[in-house]
Amino acid sequence: ARLPTAARMALEQARQRNALREAETRYQSLFDDVPVGLFKVARNGRFVDANPALIEMLGYADRESLFTAKVLSFFTDPLERRALLTVLDEADVAEHFEVRLRRRDGKMIWVEANARVIRNDREQVTYYEGSLEDITTRKLAEQSLRESEARKGAILNSAIDAIITIDERGHITEFNPAAEQTFGRRRAEVLGKELAGLIIPLSLRDRHRRGLESYLATGQGAMLGKRVELTAMRADGKEFPVELAITKVDLEGPPTFTGFVHDITQRKRAEKQLRDSREQLRVLAAHLQSVREEERSRIAREVHDELGQALTGLKMDLAWLDKNSRPASTTDESRQAGEKLKELPARVDAIIATVRKIATELRPPVLDDLGLEAAIEWQSQEFEKRTGINCRFHSGLKHADLDQERATAVFRIFQETLTNVVRHAEATQVNVHLREEGDKLVLEVHDNGRGMAGRELSGPQSLGLLGMRERATMLDGEVNIISRQGSGTRVDVRIPIHRPGEGVKS
Ligand SMILES: Nc1ncnc2c1ncn2[C@@H]1O[C@H](COP(=O)(O)OP(=O)(O)OP(=O)(O)O)[C@@H](O)[C@H]1O
Ligand SMILES: [Mg+2]
């Protein structure tokens, strides 16, 4: 059917009007619903249009109240505002501009602005229009990342320890200034290189690689979370001791490890010096002891032999004199002289006894002549005689045969123990046991005295006890003191019967 032209035109116009209205409605709903702020600003700097997203973004209740605000007053930084206006002025468009705005409630937001200039026929600015997107969350995340990077950098840079981070292949990802100093290598030169080849001595490299592999395979690391002492290597190949602590960095993705490395060369040196000087002191003490012992032996011998013989000679001469000299006169004086002469041999005898006693105390001959067992028995009897403290000696020795050095040490320790009993114990009974236990000689001295407190055992004044311990230590032996206040004291001495390397005879 053919319609008249006028009717066709009317229909066509109606269809176009409908299409336009539809397009406008579509545009309007887009404008209302997009999550991006859209605006139109007049030349006078006031909004003439704004979508709901923008109104909300800027913190306004409705468009009317937004329209009363001046656009330029939203900028918090005049420099950012000027930069945006300059670009719009020169290029008519500004894209991806990041600026800070202040919302109505005073809160600052970051937005990304896209804007363009609309001009009339005469090229005059009539409007600015465009979009604003709130990027505050992203900006704050970026900023906190930057801050944490800066903090990390500050820690790395000021750390005294060398801090090295490696990735799961063992390649260096971080190397701080202290690490540069410690290892004599530049950060730029080592980043990305394998750690093993740079700072781990050849002898330890395989172990390091295996450790890393096994961690990656099993998730278990023997070195993780501990402090270990290792050897590291400088750029010039010099090896030095370090203390190392490795931690796994807890992040998503493949594991990375951070090592804190502390050069302990100084500490090691000091430790060695301390050890050396202790050893020297020990050697010195041993030397002094043996010198003293030799000295005593020599003096004892000379006193005994020379003085003893001289006195014996003197005694014989006196006896001869007494027999062969007849007084020429019988005056009182000469009779008195005769009596004095008769007394002299007895007095010389007393002197001889004293000389013997001195020599014996210096170094009892029984120790050299009959051995340790006899010497200890003899000393026990002497002790009882001299002090009145009951002293019982029990020996279970079978065939222990100590060399002179060992026998002397045990004997001197025994003497010091008895001296302590007299001086401190207030005991009435002492029991002495001598026996063998395996390849050790054991001497036990037990008193029933007052006992001692822990502090007396190791006080700085306890030089006697220290000397006993030292003597035993020098022979690979030991001295143990078991004592409680009020219940007596037991001193246990244990000395290997044979010199080290001499072999055990049975
Ligand atoms: N048998 C004991 N009974 C009770 N106390 C003892 C005994 N032996 C030692 N002591 C205590 O242990 C301390 C340390 O003894 P140590 O032999 O080291 O020193 P000392 O005898 O006081 O002096 P010295 O250096 O002259 O031997 C003594 O002062 C004493 O208090
Ligand atoms: Mg003492």
Side-chain angles (χ1 to χ4, degrees), residues 474-487:
M474 282 182 301
L475 302 173
D476 288 322
E478 57 184 0
V479 171
N480 285 306
I481 296 169
I482 300 119
S483 179
R484 245 188 307 125
Q485 227 158 0
S487 59

Side-chain angles (χ1 to χ4, degrees), residues 416 420-421 423-425 447 450-452 456 461-466 489:
E416 171 63 23
N420 276 350
V421 172
R423 280 173 57 185
H424 312 294
D447 72 56
R450 66 169 177 86
M452 55 173 128
E456 291 173 285
Q461 301 302 324
S462 306
L463 291 182
L465 298 181
L466 182 69
T489 301

Side-chain angles (χ1 to χ4, degrees), residues 270-290:
E271 279 172 12
K272 181 167 183 317
Q273 274 167 359
L274 189 63
R275 262 200 317 277
D276 286 355
S277 91
R278 276 181 172 232
E279 183 56 33
Q280 278 166 1
L281 276 181
R282 196 154 267 166
V283 170
L284 179 64
H287 176 68
L288 290 178
Q289 293 280 22
S290 78

